[in-house]
Amino acid sequence: SDPAQRLASWEDVAAGLDGCLSDNPFESPATARVTRSAEVRTPLSTAIRRTGTSVLGATDHVGNWLQERVRETARHARGALPVASLAIGTKVAGTYTITALLRAGTLIEHYAVDEAILARKLVLKILTPTGMANPLLVQRLIAEGTLLGALHQPSFPFAAGRGSWLHEGQPREYVAVELVSGADLKTYLTHKGRFAESQALWVANELATAMEHAYESCRLVHRDLKPANLAVGDGDPRRLMITDFATALFTRPRDLQDFSTAERSLIDDAGIGKAVGTPAYMSPEQVRGEAPIPQMDMYSFGCLLFQLLAGE
């Protein structure tokens, strides 16, 4: 857990993986399956409650944050989260026609859309009225569009546009990004078990290469690398795609003049003191809310690679 003993850069990670594979192992449909033992195991949720109650008390800010994540998961399971606020067929900003709801939350909604100008299929991320009431969320969505516009690398979906749209008299901020088709790695693990070694190494090599580019180009720290946020795209050739940038931060862009005043303010906010991410993949420094550094993502990368190889 000592950060001083971890790899110093994404370049070191990529160099260690370079040359492992000469082709894409996902072209083969076969995936190694996990053989589960017949022994009775303590349910994971029980183990978490047993060890977590004494460590993460109600007065602990990390404990409160984890408890809210659990409550939100329960609301998802009960179907208690709000339905989409926009109907199929709605035109957004005169350019995008909604074709399907992908995800509806209290703060942001994801829709599949058809773009009229270039006839592309995209994903439209639109803040809900509740989300629009939070200036930080508005800034983060704007920054996400700028981030994806600056990252010219195959593993990052391209940004097709962003702006503000009036719906029933209320402004709604949106970002349009590439629609990623293909299964995320969490789905692979759930339905096929652990990855073959060649597949896991291919994922690792693709991810390390992408993150090295992201850090070198705009000092990006993602803060939420996990199987659910990575997908194997169905295109030709297939690509590993990084799909969620809600927690991502620029830590030191090469040229701050490329960004608006609001974006520069967000970039300068390093998120110190805030535990942001998914607990199972977070480094100790990330849980403590320390300033974002690339080693936090490398720690998540290690957790991710272990899960792909072990299946759990």
Side-chain angles (χ1 to χ4, degrees):
S1 62
D2 182 0
Q5 296 178 357
R6 300 177 198 159
L7 292 172
S9 71
W10 278 110
E11 185 177 7
D12 294 340
V13 178
L17 293 163
D18 188 38
C20 286
L21 299 168
S22 58
D23 57 1
N24 185 340
F26 282 89
E27 298 301 335
S28 170
T31 312
R33 297 192 63 85
V34 177
T35 302
R36 307 288 183 184
S37 65
E39 63 179 320
V40 177
R41 297 187 180 184
T42 303
L44 182 59
S45 57
T46 303
I48 291 174
R49 284 198 299 271
R50 182 181 302 146
T51 60
T53 303
S54 60
V55 178
L56 300 173
T59 58
D60 183 357
H61 75 283
V62 178
N64 288 335
W65 171 71
L66 288 173
Q67 289 170 16
E68 180 54 35
R69 292 295 293 270
V70 171
R71 292 190 195 102
E72 183 170 343
T73 301
R75 290 197 295 270
H76 269 292
R78 295 196 307 267
L81 287 179
V83 296
S85 61
L86 302 176
I88 303 301
T90 300
K91 281 195 174 294
V92 177
T95 303
Y96 310 101
T97 302
I98 293 177
T99 58
L101 169 68
L102 301 178
R103 190 189 316 164
T106 54
L107 302 176
I108 189 169
E109 297 167 336
H110 295 69
Y111 297 93
V113 299
D114 286 335
E115 183 192 37
I117 298 175
L118 297 178
R120 294 181 292 188
K121 295 187 181 298
L122 304 169
V123 172
L124 202 64
K125 301 181 179 182
I126 305 180
L127 288 179
T128 65
T130 303
M132 288 297 297
N134 187 327
L136 181 60
L137 286 178
V138 175
Q139 291 181 19
R140 287 205 181 283
L141 191 68
I142 292 172
E144 180 176 341
T146 303
L147 180 152
L148 292 177
L151 292 174
H152 305 291
Q153 208 275 347
S155 289
F156 294 96
F158 62 80
R162 78 170 198 217
S164 185
W165 169 64
L166 278 177
H167 177 61
E168 298 179 347
Q170 293 184 315
R172 302 282 293 274
E173 198 72 34
Y174 69 85
V175 170
V177 300
E178 177 184 3
L179 175 63
V180 177
S181 60
D184 63 63
L185 302 193
K186 182 178 180 180
T187 301
Y188 271 97
L189 286 166
T190 300
H191 294 285
K192 296 186 178 181
R194 68 183 181 186
F195 283 34
E197 182 178 319
S198 61
Q199 292 176 322
L201 288 175
W202 178 82
V203 168
N205 193 48
E206 294 287 301
L207 180 56
T209 301
M211 291 305 298
E212 179 189 5
H213 171 84
Y215 188 71
E216 286 301 312
S217 62
C218 56
R219 296 299 188 262
L220 170 73
V221 178
H222 188 280
R223 301 198 294 179
D224 201 18
L225 295 178
K226 59 183 180 181
N229 287 344
L230 301 171
V232 179
D234 284 337
D236 184 17
R238 292 193 177 187
R239 297 180 290 163
L240 181 76
M241 301 295 295
I242 304 171
T243 59
D244 194 328
F245 298 87
T247 61
L249 280 178
F250 299 102
T251 57
R252 190 181 53 177
R254 287 182 172 176
D255 187 0
L256 278 175
Q257 299 310 311
D258 290 342
F259 303 95
S260 69
T261 302
E263 289 161 352
R264 287 200 296 272
S265 174
L266 181 63
I267 291 164
D268 291 338
D269 170 22
I272 299 174
K274 303 172 185 176
V276 177
T278 301
Y281 305 90
M282 292 165 63
S283 69
E285 298 80 28
Q286 193 170 344
V287 172
R288 290 195 294 266
E290 296 182 10
I293 53 175
Q295 283 80 1
M296 291 178 177
D297 283 344
M298 294 177 204
Y299 186 100
S300 303
F301 172 91
C303 296
L304 163 70
L305 185 56
F306 176 91
Q307 184 177 359
L308 297 186
L309 290 167
E312 55 185 61

